[in-house]
Amino acid sequence: MMNNRELQRLIAGLFPDDVAVAGSVTCPTDAALLPEEQHQTTAMVAKRLREFTHGRHCARQAMQQLGHAPAPVLKHEDRSPVWPDQICGSISHTGDIAAAVVAHRDGYRSLGLDIETAEPLDESTHALILRPDERSADGAQAKLIFSAKEAIYKTLYPLVGSYLDFQEMVVEFDKADGTFAAQPHTDRVPPPLAAALQGRYQVTPDWVVAATWIRAAAD
Ligand SMILES: CC(C)(COP(=O)(O)OP(=O)(O)OC[C@H]1O[C@@H](n2cnc3c(N)ncnc32)[C@H](O)[C@@H]1OP(=O)(O)O)[C@@H](O)C(=O)NCCC(=O)NCCS
């Protein structure tokens, strides 16, 4: 089992240095929502409320590292987070773990973070997640493809504003340096945007983590 420091080091090792990272392996007892956020959570069951609160707690810790005052991170109807004007970010949770990454908008257009357990992806879902040219992947590789696609989606969604199916994206890995790139199979993602997306990943015996970002200077 990781501790908080190991989790943060794992994620921070994937992003550039000017991306702030916060994460914890269990929800701290002092994690709390701001009043504006509470209004959006009245229908949530206890488990969902806990992960939502944990993610917002991490987001505020990461904002603090950027020198940003604690601010609400509301959610759109489609569940995507509403970041304060000057920053962009991403949240992921799995089991009791939650983490958030944030960066100044003058440096980054968008970020993506995904954390998954390292269990192989169930074979019954391969046809849904993998494109035909990715189907030779074994369960472990399929899980990495899944995680990379989720991080890519979190990065692209705020910029393209539409759902992207798993079949509309191919991930190209460079295993030698632990990076990946997004190859969209849809005209809803402009090629320069996909080309500007950078990805890094890490697989440990327990976890798969995918990190993605698009810099502000990129088209
Ligand atoms: C949105 C999605 C990526 C979330 O992934 P997940 O494994 O279920 O959950 P995670 O814990 O990693 O991430 C959840 C967080 O993602 C964020 N999120 C949700 N929808 C989002 C969106 N459209 N864009 C960006 N971030 C989003 C939220 O902050 C959410 O946490 P919160 O609800 O507590 O705020 C996933 O549910 C989904 O809809 N995937 C289908 C689309 C896809 O991945 N396509 C791949 C091809 S590009």
Side-chain angles (χ1 to χ4, degrees):
M1 182 63 183
M2 269 188 303
N3 61 35
N4 291 351
R5 187 182 290 257
E6 288 163 341
L7 172 66
Q8 287 164 19
R9 201 176 295 150
L10 176 60
I11 300 167
L14 298 177
F15 282 97
D17 286 346
D18 52 355
V19 173
V21 174
S24 35
V25 295
T26 54
C27 187
T29 50
D30 63 347
L33 294 176
L34 297 177
E36 301 92 318
E37 294 166 338
Q38 279 168 7
H39 289 305
Q40 294 195 311
T41 59
T42 47
M44 288 184 185
V45 298
K47 180 176 177 294
R48 172 71 183 120
L49 182 60
R50 196 163 47 246
E51 71 172 21
F52 185 86
T53 305
H54 194 181
R56 263 56 189 176
H57 174 83
C58 294
R60 275 187 275 284
Q61 283 193 317
M63 280 183 213
Q64 215 166 16
Q65 292 173 36
L66 284 187
H68 198 288
V73 182
L74 297 178
K75 64 179 178 75
H76 289 115
E77 285 217 337
D78 59 19
R79 207 186 137 192
S80 61
V82 183
W83 295 99
D85 284 347
Q86 307 88 333
I87 63 173
C88 56
S90 185
I91 294 170
S92 184
H93 20 63
T94 181
D96 288 338
I97 285 183
V101 288
V102 299
H104 288 295
R105 247 187 230 286
D106 55 8
Y108 293 85
R109 291 184 70 186
S110 191
L111 304 178
L113 171 67
D114 189 66
I115 306 171
E116 302 288 336
T117 61
E119 271 116 51
L121 194 72
D122 195 293
E123 210 149 319
S124 65
T125 63
H126 283 204
L128 189 76
I129 306 300
L130 307 178
R131 280 179 55 88
D133 40 336
E134 298 171 324
R135 300 258 167 89
S136 60
D138 64 10
Q141 176 65 14
K143 190 62 162 288
L144 175 58
I145 294 171
F146 172 72
S147 186
K149 286 187 180 183
E150 294 233 297
I152 290 168
Y153 178 69
K154 291 180 188 180
T155 311
L156 291 177
Y157 183 85
L159 305 177
V160 303
S162 81
Y163 183 78
L164 299 168
D165 191 83
F166 288 97
Q167 298 299 317
E168 294 179 309
M169 194 60 64
V170 164
V171 189
E172 287 183 351
F173 292 93
D174 184 333
K175 297 233 162 174
D177 64 1
T179 60
F180 59 87
Q183 291 291 345
H185 285 247
T186 163
D187 56 15
R188 297 198 309 293
V189 181
L193 192 63
L197 185 146
Q198 292 178 262
R200 292 191 73 83
Y201 69 92
Q202 175 86 54
V203 178
T204 76
D206 297 319
W207 307 102
V208 175
V209 183
T212 43
W213 63 92
I214 297 176
R215 289 188 189 272
D219 285 344

